[in-house]
Amino acid sequence: MIAQDEQIRVTLPDGSVRQYPKGSTGLDIATQISEGLARNVLAAKVNGKVQDATLPIQEDANVQLLTWNDAEGKATFWHSSAHLLAEALEALYPGVKFGIGPAVETGFYYDVDLNGQAFSQEDFKKVEDKMLELARQKQPYVRKPMSKADAVAYFDQKGDPYKLDLLEGLDDGTITFYTQGDFTDLCRGPHIPNTGFIKAAKIMNVAGAYWRGNEKNKQLTRIYAVTYPKQKELDDYLYLLEEAKKRDHRKLGKELELFAFSERVGQGLPLWLPKGTMLRERLENFLRRAQVRAGYSPVVTPHIGSKQLYVTSGHWEKYGEDSFQPIKTPDPNEEFLLKPMNCPHHCEIYKTKPRSYRDLPLRLAEFGTVYRYEQSGELHGLTRVRGFTQDDAHIFCRPDQVKDEFMKVIDLVLYVFRSLGFEDYSAQVSLRDPENKTKYIGSDDLWEKAESAIVEAAAEKGLRTVTELGEAAFYGPKLDFMVRDALGRKWQLGTIQVDYNLPNRFELEYIGADNQKHRPVMIHRAPFGSLERFIAILIENTGGNFPLWLSPDQIAILPISEKYEDYANDLFFTLQENDIRGFVDLRDEKIGRKIRDAEVNKVPYMLVVGEKEAAEGKVSVRRKGQGDLGSMSIDEFVRTFQAEVKI
Ligand SMILES: [Zn+2]
Ligand SMILES: [Zn+2]
């Protein structure tokens, strides 16, 4: 019989508590649960800290067994793969020295000093093969605590200056070595149980990287790679990368003539071309209509505001230094700022007249263009720009209306997502850090009410949410939406944010039923986030094949020869009267070429007209992605089109 004190109590994530002999490992626990789990467990999270699945657990603990499906499991897998890469490199490039080898978002890298030996694309395969050969040996990652003196002696003897440099910063008693096969590394871990988990490897890329990120130091070779537990997963990942390249909104934006950038206009300032503008206006009109139905009042405010406005709002103090600098006027007492956000302007609109509790909620909506300084290295297509238009609105309401307003905004956001084909979405609720309530503005009571209002609203709307404690802004809790695109990538989109700060700073008030003055709650919300970013995501999600109602050119009329130009032009005007937009291809080209070009430009409907169509008053219809739909009367085509274009 085992004495009571030799048992530990392990609490699993489902809340169940089990007893295990003291010194059991994560792997032991997994084995007891199921063989399958034991085969897949990569690491164990013990009281919040990730450790080797093979490390003994000595006391009562919360234990989560990590697999490939957990972000921390993946990170452990990839970091362990960096050791495998190093082992392969050491076998192939004698004398190679090692810097650091962390996991990154997808995969891992190792910074290495190849002693002047060349390493390029042609060498990738050789290293990948070596990694897999070593992986097949299922070498365990063996952990060994080392004294600092022994650790220094080891790397001194091996002649690795980078590891010696790292050791200088470590305290005696905290140092561990890990060995798999013939390769030993200085590392605090954790690692997967053995190299056999790694079934597929791909070197992605090499780049230069200064040791410790300091350009005074030697430049090392940074080798980026990715590994997977199954070859198929690697294949899928590489396919997605290729597909993502094809769908890159910067590439498609140029090809489809949606937007452009000009150095002369300035970095990060998109120029919307006619087709992109058409797309953008349709999106705006779509949301405008939905917002009017949802009780919003449109407003328009200027692109600049007096510096004092942003001193009042607090933006000047917080962002002034790192933003566009004030605009001067001939009057030395006057200074203006490019508008970095619309909220202060909307607060001033609120203040234009006295408000009563019966006037609330007041919902002010504006497609407001704002300007934020981003460093040029941070700019990226339409997703990081210096001037962009928010589909912004501010809701001023009573504290008891917060939940209802959240429900309504969630409805609106989901309507937008569904209308645009984003079926896979989730949300994050960001709440206060319960351990540190003092850093937040607004009373405890208000926060508690608002937080439970958000949580309840999200639950009643059936949203899939994760809750993050401590992620709220100092001025209020929020709900952020994430969508997954056609390639499985996650994008952060719209946000709904409670604000207790600005109503204070602007001294907003309403007269309550009690005839007393009260402070309204302000809610910021933007379903798209910004039009620029949203359109970028939309381009990448659809690959440029926009839904019919959004397509810049919805139809292309393709006359077989110039004899049918008059008929084509008449047809064009008839369709235009029915709100169907596009163009007539009057080029002197063969019909096959015209069809091909319309396909490349992702025009949804191609209407071919020749002798028969002109004589019978018909059109020959081709739908992109569906092919030939046959011949139709013009009325019939208009009905077909209108049935599809409805959202
Ligand atoms: Zn390691
Ligand atoms: Zn705002």
Side-chain angles (χ1 to χ4, degrees):
M1 201 177 126
I2 300 162
Q4 201 61 46
D5 61 355
E6 291 180 311
Q7 294 276 313
I8 52 167
R9 287 161 54 83
V10 167
T11 309
L12 295 169
D14 65 1
S16 65
V17 180
R18 301 188 190 199
Q19 300 236 343
Y20 294 97
K22 185 176 170 182
S24 293
T25 66
L27 207 49
D28 295 334
I29 296 170
T31 309
Q32 295 226 358
I33 295 171
S34 83
E35 287 271 319
L37 182 57
R39 270 200 305 276
N40 289 308
V41 70
L42 298 175
K45 195 168 180 177
V46 178
N47 290 332
K49 192 167 173 281
V50 183
Q51 64 175 47
D52 299 342
T54 51
L55 204 64
I57 302 168
Q58 304 292 8
E59 54 194 17
D60 293 355
N62 291 310
V63 175
Q64 184 191 352
L65 300 167
L66 300 174
T67 68
W68 180 250
N69 296 323
D70 303 294
E72 288 162 314
K74 271 199 186 80
T76 307
F77 186 94
W78 280 330
H79 166 67
S80 305
S81 302
H83 286 247
L84 181 66
L85 168 64
E87 185 183 0
L89 289 170
E90 195 162 68
L92 296 169
Y93 299 86
V96 56
K97 312 275 191 285
F98 297 99
I100 54 165
V104 291
E105 201 182 327
T106 307
F108 57 92
Y109 67 78
Y110 219 127
D111 285 345
V112 301
D113 181 346
L114 287 158
N115 255 337
Q117 301 171 85
F119 187 76
S120 64
Q121 199 102 33
E122 298 86 71
D123 305 301
F124 290 4
K125 176 91 173 49
K126 179 172 71 181
V127 178
E128 290 159 8
D129 288 347
K130 190 72 185 174
M131 285 173 75
L132 293 179
E133 177 196 321
L134 296 168
R136 280 193 291 272
Q137 297 169 9
K138 297 195 169 114
Q139 302 163 349
Y141 288 88
V142 180
R143 180 177 188 273
K144 188 177 174 201
M146 296 289 284
S147 72
K148 188 162 179 172
D150 287 350
V152 169
Y154 177 87
F155 284 109
D156 213 17
Q157 202 254 327
K158 195 180 174 193
D160 194 324
Y162 309 104
K163 296 293 173 185
L164 288 169
D165 191 18
L166 290 172
L167 273 166
E168 261 181 40
L170 297 178
D171 292 330
D172 210 354
T174 65
I175 296 164
T176 50
F177 276 12
Y178 276 86
T179 301
Q180 92 275 8
D182 295 331
F183 178 75
T184 294
D185 209 343
L186 166 71
C187 188
R188 70 165 77 89
H191 300 97
I192 58 177
N194 66 66
T195 59
F197 287 80
I198 301 164
K199 296 273 173 37
K202 181 94 187 151
I203 312 258
M204 302 301 294
N205 176 13
V206 284
Y210 293 106
W211 172 238
R212 289 187 180 275
N214 184 341
E215 60 192 59
K216 293 202 182 90
N217 291 338
K218 183 162 181 186
Q219 196 176 46
L220 305 183
T221 304
R222 177 166 294 179
I223 304 177
Y224 286 97
V226 67
T227 50
Y228 280 90
K230 285 187 187 131
Q231 182 63 41
K232 169 145 193 339
E233 290 191 48
L234 174 61
D235 294 344
D236 289 349
Y237 171 67
L238 295 175
Y239 169 77
L240 284 185
L241 277 189
E242 271 311 302
E243 215 26 54
K245 246 189 241 163
K246 281 190 227 155
R247 290 168 176 235
D248 189 321
H249 75 275
R250 294 168 299 176
K251 177 174 169 283
L252 282 174
K254 199 169 183 178
E255 287 169 9
L256 301 176
E257 298 181 17
L258 299 174
F259 60 87
F261 289 92
S262 145
E263 285 289 325
R264 195 166 288 159
V265 170
Q267 286 189 320
L269 299 170
L271 301 173
W272 288 90
L273 305 178
K275 287 184 187 185
T277 305
M278 193 122 52
L279 172 69
R280 191 183 147 114
E281 281 185 352
R282 285 189 190 159
L283 268 181
E284 277 183 30
N285 290 338
F286 157 74
L287 191 57
R288 226 173 240 136
R289 277 198 306 273
Q291 287 183 161
V292 168
R293 285 199 296 270
Y296 287 80
S297 307
V299 294
V300 176
T301 64
H303 287 239
I304 62 174
S306 117
K307 181 179 156 189
Q308 201 49 45
L309 180 69
Y310 299 101
V311 172
T312 304
S313 71
H315 292 116
W316 171 251
E317 193 189 5
K318 201 149 192 261
Y319 304 108
E321 293 263 298
D322 305 317
S323 203
F324 288 112
Q325 293 306 295
I327 301 164
K328 307 253 185 240
T329 75
D331 178 347
N333 299 316
E334 238 180 2
E335 275 187 318
F336 291 91
L337 287 182
L338 275 170
K339 175 162 76 171
M341 46 243 302
N342 306 299
C343 343
H345 289 79
H346 291 188
C347 286
E348 286 299 307
I349 290 180
Y350 181 94
K351 290 188 77 162
T352 53
K353 67 176 192 182
R355 308 279 175 184
S356 118
Y357 69 98
R358 278 187 245 97
D359 300 332
L360 303 184
L362 176 69
R363 308 182 189 94
L364 302 178
E366 175 174 18
F367 288 93
T369 303
V370 297
Y371 301 88
R372 293 182 193 170
Y373 179 74
E374 300 274 358
Q375 294 193 351
S376 56
E378 303 282 314
L379 298 172
H380 181 89
L382 288 182
T383 55
R384 281 297 275 277
V385 285
R386 286 174 170 173
F388 55 94
T389 302
Q390 295 179 309
D391 53 325
D392 210 359
H394 295 96
I395 300 168
F396 301 90
C397 67
R398 305 191 304 260
D400 64 288
Q401 293 171 319
V402 170
K403 180 177 167 188
D404 214 35
E405 287 308 304
F406 260 80
M407 305 260 278
K408 289 192 173 120
V409 180
I410 293 171
D411 279 340
L412 183 68
V413 170
L414 298 190
Y415 168 68
V416 168
F417 288 177
R418 289 195 198 109
S419 304
L420 290 157
F422 293 106
E423 302 290 342
D424 188 355
Y425 49 79
S426 59
Q428 177 178 316
V429 182
S430 299
L431 305 178
R432 268 186 310 181
D433 177 358
E435 308 290 317
N436 186 7
K437 290 185 182 174
T438 50
K439 65 173 180 177
Y440 302 96
I441 195 164
S443 76
D444 226 22
D445 179 49
L446 279 176
W447 270 84
E448 268 160 33
K449 274 201 197 116
E451 290 190 335
S452 55
I454 296 174
V455 171
E456 285 169 26
E460 282 175 39
K461 289 291 166 195
L463 273 185
R464 192 150 43 93
T465 54
V466 286
T467 301
E468 295 289 347
L469 297 177
E471 285 293 303
F474 77 94
Y475 53 85
K478 63 175 175 169
L479 183 67
D480 291 309
F481 289 87
M482 257 82 65
V483 293
R484 207 179 270 279
D485 72 7
L487 300 186
R489 296 171 300 176
K490 269 192 166 182
W491 299 85
Q492 203 204 309
L493 280 179
T495 183
I496 320 175
Q497 164 101 54
V498 176
D499 188 346
Y500 295 119
N501 181 40
L502 287 184
N504 276 345
R505 285 182 164 265
F506 281 88
E507 299 176 321
L508 305 185
E509 287 170 349
Y510 67 90
I511 304 296
D514 56 2
N515 252 326
Q516 301 294 308
K517 285 179 178 171
H518 296 270
R519 189 129 288 168
V521 181
M522 185 172 178
I523 300 172
H524 312 252
R525 49 104 280 186
F528 294 153
S530 83
L531 283 166
E532 283 71 11
R533 189 177 149 78
F534 190 78
I535 290 173
I537 296 167
L538 198 60
I539 293 170
E540 301 207 0
N541 189 45
T542 59
N545 293 302
F546 302 111
L548 186 58
W549 66 276
L550 270 181
S551 280
D553 285 319
Q554 298 167 316
I555 52 146
I557 301 175
L558 313 176
I560 285 179
S561 80
E562 64 181 64
K563 275 195 278 178
Y564 312 108
E565 272 181 19
D566 288 346
Y567 178 64
N569 284 329
D570 288 348
L571 177 62
F572 177 74
F573 289 116
T574 308
L575 295 179
Q576 212 174 30
E577 279 166 14
N578 284 282
D579 264 340
I580 299 174
R581 274 166 228 144
F583 61 93
V584 187
D585 187 344
L586 293 173
R587 292 175 304 161
D588 183 20
E589 292 284 356
K590 291 244 159 50
I591 188 68
R593 173 70 191 271
K594 290 184 180 180
I595 291 174
R596 231 175 9 259
D597 287 350
E599 292 258 359
V600 169
N601 286 312
K602 307 191 193 279
V603 180
Y605 277 104
M606 284 153 271
L607 308 178
V608 179
V609 294
E611 187 175 2
K612 192 162 171 292
E613 287 78 13
E616 296 175 3
K618 288 188 167 181
V619 287
S620 232
V621 182
R622 291 178 70 89
R623 176 73 174 95
K624 186 168 194 302
Q626 292 175 22
D628 202 343
L629 301 187
S631 164
M632 292 182 197
S633 73
I634 296 171
D635 277 354
E636 207 181 332
F637 172 69
V638 170
R639 280 197 301 275
T640 306
F641 182 94
Q642 284 170 345
E644 188 187 334
V645 87
K646 267 210 182 84
I647 49 160

